[in-house]
Amino acid sequence: MEVLVAILLGVLTASGVFLILRARTFSVVLGLTLLSHAVNLFLFSMGRLHTNAPAVIGEAAQHADPLPQALVLTAIVIGFAMTAFVVVLALRSVLELKNDHVDGVNKNEEPI
Amino acid sequence: MLLLILLLPLMFLPGPLLLRHAPRWAVGLASLPPLIAFILLLQMLPTVMQGQVLLYQLDWIPEIGLAVALRLDALSALFALLITGIGVTVMYYAHHYFAGKPEAARFYTLILAFMAAMLGIVLAENLIFMLIFWELTSLISFLLIGFYGNKQISRRGARLSLFITGGGGLALLGGIILIGQVVGSYQLTDILQARELIQADSRFPWILGLILLGAFTKSAQFPFHLWLPHAMSAPTPVSAYLHSATMVKAGIFLLIRLFPIFSGHEAWFYWVAGIGVVTLLVGSFVAIFMHDMKGLLAYSTISHLGLITLLIGFGTHGALTVALFHLVNHALFKAPLFMMAGVVDKAAGTRDLRQVNGMAKHFPMLMILSFIPTAAMAGLPYLNGYFSKKLFIVESLNGAHTGMIATLIPILAILGAAFSVGYALRLFHNTFFNGQPVDLPNWPPKQPSHWTYVPLFFFAAACIVLGLWPELMLHGLIAAAANAANVSADLLIPATRAPHVVSYDLSVIQDHPWLSLISAVTFLGGLAMYSARKTLFAWHAKLPNLNAKDHFEKLMQKLIGWAQDAVHMVENGSLQRYVLYLLVAALIFTGWPLLGLEVWQGDLELMPVDAMTAGGIVLLAAMALAVSVLHHQRITALLFTGATGLFITIGFARFSAPDLALTQFSVEVMAILIMMLALSFLPQTSPHESSRFRWTRDVIIASIAGLGVALLSFAVMTRPQHSISGYFLANSVPGGGGTNVVNVILVDFRGFDTLGEITVLAIAGLAVFALTRNLRLKDRPNHQQNDYWNGFAESHPLFLRVLARPILPMALLVSAYIFLRGHNLPGGGFIAGLITAAALSLQYVACGIRWAHVRMLTQFRPLIGAGLLIAGTTGVGSLVFGKPFLTSWFGHFELPLIGEFELATALLFDLGVYVTVVGATLLILANMGRLMTIHGPGKEIG
């Protein structure tokens, strides 16, 4: 199972990194989303994989590691805040610069 | 007392600037420090001339050997008197030169600063302390040469001078550090006694070379003499002070000061005397070809400095005495000549010797007063220059070396003397006689104020006095100075014993009766050269034009061009490039240690694979790949991204993280909604614009990143864990009062992190609010193309509209339940807040913004503030009870029907979190949605 999860993390990261290197703001936003998913999963997996062991006292005999879970929860919420911010920033830049290229201007392109 | 002398100019520094509108007061104030310092030095002179050395010490940074250490012996006193004395006259001259122009104040300030720096060099006892002032002189000279900053020639000359003298200063630093390491101290009293130690050390060649480099660059010796002629774009007072009397003498001072440790070594003679004689010849030869008066005087200065250097190179006590004597004489006749050039320049408007002729008719007084310094320069009898020349020739004959060198040096010396007669003649004759002026800009030439002649008068008088009674100086100050300089081991005397002053015996001149013959030869030679000047000029004009400054500038521009290209390669404003560099750097830094890992798989047993989970993971990976493959179709990519988020939710649930699953689920919904809203304003497709090369490169980098992360996570996941959560699991119920450990960690154990988290959320919400505030709708791109659904569906389907209304109270109920149970079962403030936000945004989506606005509370920013306030107050509340910030408390209570339940202050904190989450999320969504309303942006929401 660890092998599969590791492969999954690799694929998520690769997709995210590839998209971040694109030239359009929306693609970069998608890439950031995927990358943050990958990072959250990575942090979560630091607590090692457990099944049927929720971190609730009294529900199970074994407990998964609650600390990475708490940290990832914080990360998810902050990631959401940053995603919203970046999306609106990209939107604003498109509407101001008439162009959704990452560098703000692409000489060969007609403005939107 | 010594410190006072040093600090005097600095204390009066701001004075001229403040008094810039009262020129008389300004110059008066500026002349005060050198005058006072001069008088103080004269007072201390008798003690010092007897051989005593006055010291002052103040430790500054003992760790690196730096101390504010001052030393006054006869040598320093000589130089200090020179600096302050000539400083007074230059101030006076400058007052009339600038004639009340506003830049005079800046000039005085700079000169005062320079004076302080020069005094620092000559009075320093600690070599590093001296270096500080050495560099300061370079810097201030730069400012003074570029005084008229609007002229390109000034700027370029200043830059060249700074480059050369600054570079020399760097070499000097190296030499000083080496000396310090060999001797163990930077104080002169220690260094001057360590002659054998230094000369025996293997690093001695380096020490000698670096120190010589520093001295030669500062004193414009060959081949570093190039900066001095180009420094003549400075105002004349600057040339008279810096570039004839003080700054260029600093290198010579250093050579004399460090003479005790270098004397007797063969290399010293070859290098110093060699460079000196070359400089002497080059300077005096080129001088006559200069058509600019100041250029001629500059080259003349170079040749005289070469002469002094040559004398120092001889290494004998006699030569040293003559060197010092000539140093003083040179200052006494060069400064007035520069002043004369300045007067002529201002009067006639030009300094060109081909144009300025026959000035004797217009300025007879000037002619008489400048005849004396010129004659001194040429070496006419009864003037101080005469003795300098004679003694110089005597010493060159007295050299301890035999063979070819013994005959060559005197011949070269005589040649140099002949050249100097030639250019002195040229200067005097071409300025004051030689026919009529040609094409003068100022015609008739303006009469200078008679007060300008006063300094010239003093200098001329000094030349005559020293010419008639040379013993005054020679047996007095110069002898003492030479003594102080030549402090060898046997001559070193503590201040208590009487010194053993070696006076120079002038009768040596009588011992060589054929000296007069040599003088006559030099005069005739100079005269012949001058008479043949037209032919010589013609020959010189045919030579190729080598302008050092232009070459330097070209080199500089090339260097600057390379630097700019290098910067542009790294930082060219392209975000893609920065991201690339960041990623590559991150990959290198994390991949490097990873390569050292021997075994990938750790000791933990691998978890067995079951079909459902495996299938889910494979599907998730496929969807992630699909996003990057299909990213050109934006809506499709967005949907796949949402799907990956939802599958991750399932993954969290499968691997025992119910809180995470709930949070991820609600966050994903919100995030996709926001991105969908944004997408409606953007083009629906990304163009295919990456080149093959770029695409391949990005795929490779992404693959490496993915591989690295996969390997790393596999390595970690299979190794046993040393977790610290045992504490949390053990203390969740007794310490926090809740069984949901994750939630207890969030709102209790690590509540401060959560406080920070909701603050970030609040800030993001406010930022979105600010960004969407003034967004102009008419700039909305591609409105037509957005209508995929045009004609296919209504914007607000009836079904959804009707359902949305009863869903709201039910959703709020669920939200409240999840909120309350959060402490003990999966749930909590975040999830509850997101559920509420989802329910409320459903109203926006289903029924439209205007409908929702009329019926709903829209004060989102106060809501955010209230949430933060509640969370913060809960934390502060514990301070009231004497516990640290954010300590929670819980208790069990009984309620009649419900039974026992537990209350904790963490619930209040969670309430703050809940309210903030609702406020921020709705602020974001509502403002983005508002952009879609057709009837213009309207009032901002929230």
Side-chain angles (χ1 to χ4, degrees):
Chain A
M1 188 65 76
E2 276 83 355
V3 180
L4 282 175
V5 173
I7 295 177
L8 170 68
L9 281 172
V11 170
L12 270 173
T13 313
S15 272
V17 167
F18 178 73
L19 284 173
I20 283 179
L21 290 166
R22 299 296 93 223
R24 298 281 152 178
T25 49
F26 196 74
S27 307
V28 173
V29 170
L30 287 180
L32 281 173
T33 313
L34 281 179
L35 201 58
S36 57
H37 284 155
V39 170
N40 289 343
L41 270 178
F42 181 82
L43 283 174
F44 173 64
S45 72
M46 292 295 107
R48 315 295 188 271
L49 299 177
H50 304 267
T51 47
N52 296 318
V56 179
I57 313 275
E59 290 285 325
Q62 296 275 25
H63 296 114
D65 199 339
L67 194 55
Q69 293 186 16
L71 298 177
V72 171
L73 209 145
T74 313
I76 292 176
V77 177
I78 294 187
F80 165 62
M82 293 316 297
T83 306
F85 179 69
V86 158
V87 163
V88 174
L89 195 61
L91 185 64
R92 183 75 191 242
S93 84
V94 165
L95 293 178
E96 295 274 344
L97 300 170
K98 310 271 187 291
N99 186 300
D100 77 330
H101 194 273
V102 161
D103 294 334
V105 74
N106 192 5
K107 286 187 280 274
N108 307 328
E109 192 175 315
E110 288 170 16
I112 302 175
Chain B
M1 183 63 80
L2 281 178
L3 197 61
L4 180 65
I5 296 180
L6 181 60
L7 288 179
L8 261 175
L10 290 173
M11 289 193 309
F12 281 81
L13 204 69
L17 281 176
L18 294 171
L19 289 172
R20 82 180 78 167
H21 296 294
R24 288 247 182 82
W25 284 100
V27 73
L29 200 62
S31 313
L32 218 49
L35 201 59
I36 300 178
F38 192 78
I39 297 174
L40 286 173
L41 282 165
L42 281 177
Q43 280 185 331
M44 292 196 272
L45 202 56
T47 354
V48 156
M49 271 177 53
Q50 286 178 6
Q52 274 200 4
V53 176
L54 300 172
L55 290 173
Y56 171 82
Q57 177 100 5
L58 179 69
D59 273 335
W60 191 357
I61 308 179
E63 291 84 4
I64 59 173
L66 174 62
V68 177
L70 300 175
R71 170 201 192 91
L72 187 68
D73 56 8
L75 181 64
S76 331
L78 176 68
F79 272 89
L81 283 169
L82 207 63
I83 294 169
T84 46
I86 298 192
V88 174
T89 52
V90 164
M91 290 288 193
Y92 181 81
Y93 174 73
H95 177 59
H96 293 283
Y97 180 82
F98 283 112
K101 282 199 217 115
E103 58 239 23
R106 182 160 61 103
F107 176 81
Y108 296 134
T109 316
L110 283 172
I111 290 279
L112 278 177
F114 180 81
M115 200 181 297
M118 266 318 286
L119 283 172
I121 294 182
V122 302
L123 289 176
E125 156 86 355
N126 184 304
L127 279 184
I128 297 195
F129 189 62
M130 182 201 79
L131 188 68
I132 299 175
F133 290 102
W134 183 279
E135 299 285 31
L136 257 175
T137 55
S138 292
L139 214 55
I140 298 180
S141 162
F142 169 75
L143 289 173
L144 281 169
I145 295 174
F147 193 73
Y148 298 120
N150 47 339
K151 290 197 210 148
Q152 191 190 51
I153 191 175
S154 300
R155 291 199 299 269
R156 288 196 163 174
R159 201 153 56 176
L160 181 63
S161 84
L162 185 64
F163 188 73
I164 293 182
T165 52
L170 204 58
L172 187 60
L173 176 65
I176 290 180
I177 291 181
L178 279 176
I179 290 183
Q181 286 192 335
V182 170
V183 177
S185 147
Y186 290 109
Q187 305 280 96
L188 275 173
T189 30
D190 302 324
I191 293 176
L192 290 176
Q193 293 180 310
R195 180 164 150 239
E196 284 80 24
L197 193 62
I198 295 178
Q199 290 196 6
D201 196 283
S202 57
R203 292 172 282 190
F204 180 71
W206 283 104
I207 295 178
L208 182 64
L210 289 171
I211 301 263
L212 284 183
L213 207 59
F216 287 158
T217 47
K218 184 70 96 164
S219 289
Q221 300 297 301
F222 184 87
F224 308 111
H225 63 286
L226 296 162
W227 67 266
L228 195 55
H230 293 293
M232 290 298 129
S233 51
T236 311
V238 173
S239 307
Y241 192 43
L242 267 73
H243 304 131
S244 63
T246 45
M247 176 166 135
V248 294
K249 304 259 165 77
I252 308 258
F253 169 76
L254 185 70
L255 287 177
I256 301 181
R257 190 39 113 203
L258 292 179
F259 183 74
I261 57 175
F262 292 123
S263 69
H265 204 270
E266 277 295 301
W268 175 263
F269 171 72
Y270 284 118
W271 277 109
V272 179
I275 299 266
V277 77
V278 173
T279 315
L280 165 66
L281 284 174
V282 166
S284 54
F285 183 67
V286 179
I288 198 170
F289 294 107
M290 286 285 119
H291 296 302
D292 178 7
M293 279 165 105
K294 278 174 73 171
L296 190 152
L297 287 170
Y299 273 102
S300 153
T301 309
I302 292 174
S303 87
H304 280 275
L305 289 172
L307 192 158
I308 300 176
T309 315
L310 173 62
L311 281 168
I312 297 176
F314 284 144
T316 62
H317 188 83
L320 198 61
T321 318
V322 178
L324 282 168
F325 186 51
H326 190 67
L327 194 141
V328 173
N329 288 337
H330 174 256
L332 287 178
F333 63 63
K334 198 41 78 59
L337 283 176
F338 268 109
M339 290 182 184
M340 181 268 287
V343 168
V344 171
D345 190 16
K346 293 208 72 164
T350 176
R351 293 198 303 254
D352 197 326
L353 281 169
R354 295 168 291 194
Q355 293 179 295
V356 175
N357 300 317
M359 285 289 119
K361 214 169 15 168
H362 301 275
F363 309 115
M365 192 67 197
L366 186 65
M367 183 202 78
I368 297 177
L369 283 177
S370 17
F371 175 70
I372 296 175
T374 325
M377 191 159 72
L380 282 175
Y382 298 114
L383 292 170
N384 53 358
Y386 174 69
F387 281 102
S388 291
K389 281 264 156 54
K390 282 267 164 63
L391 293 172
F392 161 54
I393 297 182
V394 168
E395 283 303 319
S396 67
L397 292 167
N398 264 358
H401 297 81
T402 52
M404 200 177 74
I405 302 178
T407 40
L408 191 61
I409 290 190
I411 294 178
L412 292 176
I414 296 170
L415 198 61
F419 287 152
S420 72
V421 171
Y423 66 68
L425 259 178
R426 171 151 196 224
L427 179 68
F428 189 69
H429 195 245
N430 268 15
T431 313
F432 293 108
F433 300 103
N434 201 29
Q436 293 301 314
V438 177
D439 287 336
L440 287 184
N442 292 351
W443 185 258
K446 288 189 272 195
Q447 282 290 342
S449 114
H450 288 282
W451 295 105
T452 333
Y453 294 143
V454 172
L456 288 168
F457 180 74
F458 275 114
F459 280 116
C463 288
I464 296 181
V465 164
L466 273 184
L468 292 174
W469 296 286
E471 310 85 48
L472 268 177
M473 267 290 226
L474 205 51
H475 292 166
L477 187 51
I478 306 275
N483 224 49
N486 199 6
V487 175
S488 60
D490 25 277
L491 278 184
L492 181 63
I493 304 122
T496 48
R497 274 172 40 198
H500 178 62
V501 176
V502 176
S503 296
Y504 200 86
D505 197 357
L506 275 173
S507 61
V508 72
I509 296 185
Q510 270 74 15
D511 291 345
H512 297 266
W514 38 271
L515 268 177
S516 322
L517 189 63
I518 294 183
S519 310
V521 166
T522 55
F523 274 122
L524 285 176
L527 205 59
M529 199 174 161
Y530 181 63
S531 326
R533 67 183 180 282
K534 294 263 177 11
T535 357
L536 284 172
F537 289 163
W539 166 75
H540 186 251
K542 288 212 201 83
L543 291 175
N545 191 9
L546 288 170
N547 194 336
K549 198 161 69 196
D550 286 345
H551 280 293
F552 176 68
E553 274 306 312
K554 267 192 240 155
L555 192 64
M556 279 285 118
Q557 296 302 326
K558 219 189 275 189
L559 269 175
I560 292 176
W562 283 343
Q564 280 179 336
D565 286 340
V567 170
H568 200 256
M569 198 165 59
V570 176
E571 189 167 320
N572 60 345
S574 162
L575 183 71
Q576 285 187 287
R577 185 166 295 199
Y578 299 158
V579 170
L580 182 68
Y581 286 153
L582 264 175
L583 280 171
V584 170
L587 285 178
I588 293 177
F589 280 112
T590 50
W592 196 256
L594 209 55
L595 289 174
L597 208 55
E598 292 146 3
V599 168
W600 288 118
Q601 184 166 352
D603 298 325
L604 277 188
E605 228 178 71
L606 290 185
M607 197 191 277
V609 178
D610 67 284
M612 285 285 267
T613 324
I617 291 179
V618 167
L619 208 55
L620 183 47
M623 284 194 287
L625 269 176
V627 176
S628 55
V629 167
L630 296 172
H631 78 275
H632 295 289
Q633 312 300 321
R634 292 185 174 177
I635 282 242
T636 320
L638 184 58
L639 292 174
F640 272 115
T641 314
T644 54
L646 294 175
F647 264 80
I648 290 181
T649 310
I650 303 177
F652 281 142
R654 177 75 181 102
F655 291 115
S656 328
D659 280 276
L660 285 185
L662 284 171
T663 318
Q664 172 78 15
F665 184 64
S666 8
V667 161
E668 195 62 32
V669 167
M670 292 281 119
I672 298 298
L673 207 54
I674 293 174
M675 286 200 263
M676 197 85 70
L677 279 171
L679 189 56
S680 68
F681 292 99
L682 298 169
Q684 297 298 293
T685 54
S686 296
H688 292 262
E689 59 187 340
S690 301
S691 63
R692 252 285 139 229
F693 163 72
R694 174 166 281 195
W695 188 88
T696 326
R697 176 197 76 186
D698 291 345
V699 166
I700 292 176
I701 292 180
S703 315
I704 296 178
L707 189 68
V709 169
L711 286 173
L712 181 60
S713 62
F714 182 66
V716 175
M717 274 192 283
T718 50
R719 277 167 171 71
Q721 185 186 17
H722 310 284
S723 169
I724 59 172
S725 343
Y727 173 79
F728 298 113
L729 286 167
N731 288 308
S732 172
V733 175
T739 52
N740 182 1
V741 188
V742 176
N743 184 282
V744 170
I745 291 178
L746 277 175
V747 300
D748 196 336
F749 290 117
R750 299 194 69 90
F752 206 16
D753 292 346
T754 313
L755 192 57
E757 174 191 347
I758 54 176
T759 314
V760 171
L761 193 55
I763 294 173
L766 290 170
V768 169
F769 174 73
L771 282 170
T772 53
R773 220 172 183 172
N774 302 319
L775 224 37
R776 267 176 286 280
L777 261 188
K778 64 178 176 344
D779 303 344
R780 223 169 84 182
N782 284 339
H783 196 40
Q784 270 58 30
Q785 278 180 281
N786 276 357
D787 292 340
Y788 276 145
W789 313 104
N790 206 5
F792 286 102
E794 334 162 22
S795 50
H796 298 293
L798 178 65
F799 199 63
L800 193 56
R801 260 186 292 155
V802 165
L803 263 185
R805 295 182 214 189
I807 280 184
L808 183 59
M810 289 201 289
L812 290 175
L813 185 66
V814 169
S815 170
Y817 168 64
I818 298 252
F819 173 71
L820 287 169
R821 83 166 198 177
H823 219 47
N824 297 305
L825 287 170
F830 283 117
I831 303 164
L834 286 166
I835 295 177
T836 311
L840 289 173
S841 31
L842 183 62
Q843 309 304 309
Y844 280 97
V845 168
C847 311
I849 281 203
R850 292 159 96 230
W851 183 95
H853 262 234
V854 172
R855 286 160 183 75
M856 235 174 54
L857 118 116
T858 54
Q859 309 302 316
F860 298 130
R861 278 176 298 163
L863 207 58
I864 296 176
L868 286 171
L869 203 60
I870 295 173
T873 327
T874 318
V876 169
S878 62
L879 287 175
V880 172
F881 291 95
K883 293 273 167 51
F885 182 63
L886 272 183
T887 313
S888 79
W889 167 92
F890 68 96
H892 293 266
F893 302 96
E894 279 274 342
L895 264 189
L897 274 174
I898 301 171
E900 190 203 324
F901 73 98
E902 170 244 334
L903 259 185
T905 55
L907 196 71
L908 276 174
F909 186 77
D910 230 358
L911 182 65
V913 172
Y914 171 85
V915 172
T916 314
V917 169
V918 171
T921 317
L922 281 173
L923 187 62
I924 294 172
L925 271 164
N927 277 299
M928 288 196 70
R930 158 178 79 78
L931 296 171
M932 306 218 43
T933 56
I934 308 172
H935 301 285
K939 245 176 40 169
E940 63 218 10
I941 300 179

